[in-house]
């Protein structure tokens, strides 16, 4: 034990020589001191262990023997308690959020060193850079990395000869001449851990998809032609033209028609082939357009705006197709009308409301099946101001022109001009025709329609054989206005008719709106006076329309920025809606599915939809559909079956929109209450509103 205690710890190289010289003289004294201190420590330990006892604190918990012998296991884990456990990241590959593995390692102490292993590549590069041979560099690294071992060896080895120690000391002294000449100072460079990383995104592989239709079947046809065959073909064509002229002069009998058909069948086979190809091309065009606008078609059929549940009572308009014909871009949409039999077909009248720039017009028919191009196109010499499609004979279309003429087009006959047209001899109007409306057939089952014009006349037109027969129903006099006629006679000045509408249930009753702002309730049986006159607006009445369900309610709009709802038994309006000075009302229309829903368009490009059963004071939908101050809206029309509307503007464009569920919501009754269905339900809704407005009047009487 004494020999172990005398082993000294390693010390610095500078004091090794001194310790070697005085090592023998100090060994004896150190041994004696260690023995004396050990004896004293042993005696003190015995006294401390026997003289002191453990003192139990007064508040220590007293445990039984079983509780003291019970083993309590504590498990130490390597998880970091401060590390988050709910970290997730979105995986673009799996399209979902996935948990992220959190590193549980906690670093308490880090020390970066500059030592390099002598056999590593980096050590070889440093030796090559500094120009050191491998032996010297190895010795230098050994001296640096293992200094403690050398020191312990030098201190543990006894030095017997003083001369040898002096020589060793002289060799180890750094300031000796030999060390200066033999050893070179090594230049230590700063070591850095450097790493370079690069990444590159994956380029998606290119994929090409193509399709090819089957080629149509082909057949080879050959023939020879000479002079007499060409001559015969021209002769046949001349004979065909002469026969057509004879047909127009005198109507041939049925026998002659059959003979002519049989003779002309070979000549007309080429034309029949063209019509067949045209029909197939038309169907193919519809298929292509439906594929192009497939997303809009899907929205039209199936999409319902789910966000209406969070809007409360408000609704929106979903844009669908846009209909525009290139040759009608400079014309305004002056009339819109849906076909009652084919609900996807509607007619558009093209003209101009700028009376200083009047010129040509156009009658265009569009279908929802092909929004890219019109189904029928009829160019006109005068601007089309109004139109109406027959409810039962959907191929008959009545049109009113700016020059005062009225005409009837037959879609079954493929001819660009109308089959009926009025003239100065047959009682045409002298001013623009503002509205036309088909009526029930007369006693002889002849179709007839009515027209109103700025000349103050309401005229009935009857289709008899090949001509139009007119009958003046009523003339609109202007009260207090008298003009001097020839030879000093006085003639009353007639008011300017602007719009009219016939009652849905009472056939003889109709309303006429004038440019003076008045609405006259008239009858077909009384042509000399009015049944009632309403002081409706301060400007021209642009539209007046009876309610589709309630027989006593009608609506009117004007350029005085107001829309008014009337009860024809009362002279004052029951509802008045003011749209502001900057928003003149261009058109208004009742919804065909509800007695309390109507829509109006203003010239600032806004569409307003009202539902009186939900809100009697403001619109439940106000939406900008065109650019403000650039395009003005002119007309609006509801589809008779589908929940969509069409809106026309002054640039010849028609836009279609789908009503959101809140705009066509039906009222919910109380529990156990049976609500009437069908038209009776709509009449009850409007009657409820009218009763609320009539109660204050009855209480004041």
């Amino acid at each position: 034990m004494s020999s172990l205690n005398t082993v000294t710890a390693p010390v610095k190289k500078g004091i090794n020589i001194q310790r070697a010289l005085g090592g023998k003289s100090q060994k004896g004294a150190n041994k004696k001191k260690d023995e004396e201190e050990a004896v004293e420590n042993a005696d003190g330990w015995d006294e401390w262990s026997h003289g002191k006892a453990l003192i139990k604190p007064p508040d220590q918990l007293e445990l039984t023997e079983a509780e003291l012998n019970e083993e309590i296991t504590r498990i130490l884990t390597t998880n970091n308690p401060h590390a988050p456990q709910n970290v997730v990241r979105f995986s673009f590959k799996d399209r979902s959020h996935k948990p992220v593995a959190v590193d549980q390692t906690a670093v308490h102490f880090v020390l970066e060193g500059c030592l390099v292993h002598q056999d590593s590549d980096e050590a070889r590069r440093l030796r090559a850079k500094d120009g050191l041979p491998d032996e010297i560099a190895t010795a230098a690294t050994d001296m640096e990395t293992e200094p403690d071992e050398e020191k312990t060896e030098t201190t543990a080895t006894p030095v017997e000869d003083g001369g040898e120690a002096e020589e060793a000391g002289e060799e180890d002294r750094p300031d000796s001449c030999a060390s200066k000449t033999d050893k070179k100072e090594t230049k230590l460079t700063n070591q850095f851990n450097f790493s370079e990383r690069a990444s590159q995104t994956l380029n998606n592989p290119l994929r090409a998809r193509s399709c090819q239709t089957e080629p149509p079947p082909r057949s080879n046809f050959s023939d020879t032609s000479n002079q007499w065959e060409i001559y015969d073909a021209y002769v046949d064509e001349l004979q065909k033209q002469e026969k057509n002229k004879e047909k127009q002069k005198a109507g041939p009998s049925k026998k002659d028609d059959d003979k002519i058909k049989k003779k002309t069948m070979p000549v007309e086979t080429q034309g029949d082939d063209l019509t067949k190809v045209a029909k197939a091309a038309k169907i193919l065009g519809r298929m292509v357009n439906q594929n192009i606008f497939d997303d809009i078609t899907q929205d039209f059929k199936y999409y319902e705006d789910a966000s209406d549940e969070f809007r409360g009572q408000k609704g929106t308009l979903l844009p669908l197709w846009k209909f525009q014909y290139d040759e009608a871009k400079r014309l305004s949409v002056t009339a819109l009308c849906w076909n009652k039999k084919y609900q996807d077909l509607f007619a558009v009248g093209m003209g101009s409301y700028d009376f200083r720039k009047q010129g040509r017009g156009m009658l265009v028919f569009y279908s929802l099946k092909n929004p890219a191009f019109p189904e029928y196109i009829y160019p006109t010499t005068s601007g089309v101001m109004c139109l109406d499609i027959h409810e039962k004979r959907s191929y008959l279309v009545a049109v009113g022109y700016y020059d005062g003429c009225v005409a009837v087009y037959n879609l079954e006959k493929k001819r660009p001009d109308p089959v009926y047209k009025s003239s100065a001899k047959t009682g045409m109007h002298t001013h623009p025709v503002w509205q036309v409306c088909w009526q029930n057939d007369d006693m002889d089952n002849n179709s007839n329609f009515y027209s109103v014009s700025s000349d103050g006349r309401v005229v009935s037109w009857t289709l008899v054989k090949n001509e139009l027969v007119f009958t003046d129903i009523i003339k609109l006099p202007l009260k207090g206005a008298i003009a001097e006629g020839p030879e000093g006679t006085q003639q009353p000045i007639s008011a300017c008719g602007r719009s009219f509408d016939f009652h849905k249930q009472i056939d003889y009753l109709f309303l006429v709106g004038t440019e003076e702002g008045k609405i006259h309730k008239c009858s077909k049986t009384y042509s000399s006076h009015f049944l009632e006159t309403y002081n409706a607006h301060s400007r021209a009445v642009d539209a007046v329309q009876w309610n589709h369900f309630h027989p006593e309610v009608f609506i009117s709009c004007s350029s005085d920025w107001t829309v008014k709802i009337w009860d024809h038994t009362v002279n004052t309006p029951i509802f008045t809606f003011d749209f502001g000075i900057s928003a003149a009302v261009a058109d208004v229309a009742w919804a065909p599915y509800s007695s309390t829903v109507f829509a109006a368009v203003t010239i600032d490009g806004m569409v307003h939809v009202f539902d009186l059963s939900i809100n009697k004071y403001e619109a439940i939908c106000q939406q900008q559909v065109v650019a403000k101050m650039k395009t003005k809206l002119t007309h609006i029309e509801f589809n008779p079956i589908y929940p969509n509307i069409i809106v026309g503007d002054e640039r010849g464009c028609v836009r279609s929109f789908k009503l959101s569920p809140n705009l066509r919501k039906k009222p919910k009754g109380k529990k156990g209450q049976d609500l009437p269905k069908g038209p009776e339900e709509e009449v009850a809704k409007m009657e409820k509103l009218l009763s609320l407005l009539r109660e204050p009047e009855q209480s004041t009487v």
Side-chain angles (χ1 to χ4, degrees), residues 154-440:
T154 54
T155 54
T157 304
V159 181
E160 296 179 355
D161 192 358
E164 294 179 0
E166 291 178 359
E167 293 176 0
E170 291 177 359
E171 292 177 357
D172 294 335
R173 287 170 60 185
D175 55 349
S176 62
C177 297
S179 63
K180 289 182 180 178
T181 56
D182 296 336
K183 295 183 179 179
K184 295 182 180 179
E185 294 183 358
T186 58
K187 184 178 180 182
L188 300 178
T189 58
N190 294 330
Q191 305 297 324
F192 295 96
N193 294 328
F194 177 77
S195 61
E196 182 178 0
R197 294 182 181 179
S199 62
Q200 184 175 4
T201 57
L202 178 63
N203 295 327
N204 293 326
L206 298 177
R207 297 179 181 177
R209 182 180 296 177
S210 61
C211 62
Q212 184 176 2
T213 59
E214 287 189 13
R218 297 183 180 181
S219 61
N220 297 327
F221 174 78
S222 61
D223 195 4
T224 58
S225 62
N226 45 32
Q227 293 182 357
W228 53 86
E229 288 182 354
I230 297 173
Y231 177 79
D232 292 341
Y234 275 103
V235 171
D236 293 339
E237 182 66 23
L238 290 174
Q239 291 178 358
K240 182 181 176 182
Q241 292 179 1
E242 291 176 358
K243 289 178 181 179
N244 290 333
K245 291 180 181 179
E246 292 178 359
K247 282 182 184 179
Q248 295 177 358
K249 291 181 180 179
S253 61
K254 294 183 180 179
K255 295 181 180 180
D256 296 336
D257 288 340
D258 295 337
K259 292 180 180 179
I260 294 170
K261 286 181 180 178
K262 291 179 181 179
K263 291 181 180 179
T264 56
M265 277 294 289
V267 182
E268 294 178 354
T269 53
Q270 185 177 0
D272 295 340
D273 294 339
L274 292 176
T275 54
K276 291 179 181 179
V277 173
K279 186 176 181 180
K282 188 175 183 180
I283 296 173
L284 183 62
R286 286 186 176 183
M287 294 170 61
V288 172
N289 280 289
Q290 286 186 9
N291 290 332
I292 293 173
F293 302 103
D294 180 66
D295 52 346
I296 300 178
T297 306
Q298 297 296 328
D299 292 344
F300 168 72
K301 289 184 177 180
Y302 306 111
Y303 180 76
E304 298 293 343
D305 194 354
S307 60
D308 274 11
E309 298 178 1
F310 309 101
R311 291 194 180 99
Q313 298 176 348
K314 299 291 184 179
T316 57
L317 299 175
L318 175 67
L320 295 177
W321 298 282
K322 181 180 178 181
F323 304 88
Q324 191 167 17
Y325 185 44
D326 292 339
E327 296 184 5
K329 283 186 177 180
R330 297 184 179 180
L331 300 176
S332 300
V333 177
T334 55
L336 292 173
C337 185
W338 286 97
N339 194 308
K340 305 299 186 296
K341 185 176 181 181
Y342 305 99
Q343 288 81 14
D344 64 305
L345 187 67
F346 64 92
V348 182
M350 301 287 186
S352 176
Y353 285 120
D354 189 356
F355 305 125
R356 297 170 297 178
K357 298 179 181 179
Q358 287 297 324
R360 65 183 182 89
M362 193 171 293
L363 176 63
V364 180
F365 290 82
Y366 287 103
S367 174
L368 300 181
K369 299 176 182 177
N370 184 10
F373 196 79
E375 297 291 323
Y376 303 96
I377 303 171
Y378 297 96
T380 60
T381 56
S382 180
V384 177
M385 305 306 294
C386 56
L387 64 91
D388 191 26
I389 301 175
H390 200 283
E391 185 173 358
K392 297 179 180 178
R393 303 179 183 91
S394 58
Y395 53 88
L396 293 179
V397 183
V399 178
Y401 298 104
Y402 178 78
D403 59 2
C405 293
V406 294
V408 177
Y409 287 86
N410 191 340
L411 301 183
E412 291 182 343
K413 297 183 178 181
K414 298 180 180 180
R415 46 189 292 186
D417 53 337
V419 293
Y420 299 95
K421 189 173 183 180
S422 64
S423 61
K425 295 181 180 179
T426 57
M428 63 174 285
H429 292 282
T430 58
H431 288 76
V433 181
W434 289 108
Q435 196 164 354
V436 292
C437 182
W438 286 100
Q439 287 296 294
N440 296 328

Side-chain angles (χ1 to χ4, degrees), residues 384-514:
V384 177
M385 305 306 294
C386 56
L387 64 91
D388 191 26
I389 301 175
H390 200 283
E391 185 173 358
K392 297 179 180 178
R393 303 179 183 91
S394 58
Y395 53 88
L396 293 179
V397 183
V399 178
Y401 298 104
Y402 178 78
D403 59 2
C405 293
V406 294
V408 177
Y409 287 86
N410 191 340
L411 301 183
E412 291 182 343
K413 297 183 178 181
K414 298 180 180 180
R415 46 189 292 186
D417 53 337
V419 293
Y420 299 95
K421 189 173 183 180
S422 64
S423 61
K425 295 181 180 179
T426 57
M428 63 174 285
H429 292 282
T430 58
H431 288 76
V433 181
W434 289 108
Q435 196 164 354
V436 292
C437 182
W438 286 100
Q439 287 296 294
N440 296 328
D441 296 347
D442 59 5
M443 300 295 291
D444 298 330
N445 292 329
N446 293 323
S447 301
N448 66 94
F449 65 93
Y450 284 69
S451 64
V452 64
S453 173
S454 297
D455 59 1
R457 296 165 57 205
V458 177
V459 182
S460 172
W461 303 88
T462 306
L463 281 62
V464 179
K465 293 184 179 180
N466 296 328
E467 62 178 352
L468 283 175
V469 179
F470 78 97
T471 303
D472 287 340
I473 300 299
I474 194 171
K475 292 185 178 180
L476 306 174
L478 189 61
K479 290 184 179 181
I482 298 175
E484 293 185 0
E487 298 180 358
T489 59
Q490 294 182 350
Q491 295 179 352
I493 299 176
S494 60
C496 299
R498 190 63 180 263
S499 58
F500 74 141
D501 190 32
F502 286 84
H503 201 278
K504 301 299 186 288
Q505 288 87 17
I506 306 173
D507 183 61
Y508 61 85
L509 193 64
F510 65 95
L511 298 168
V512 180
T514 64

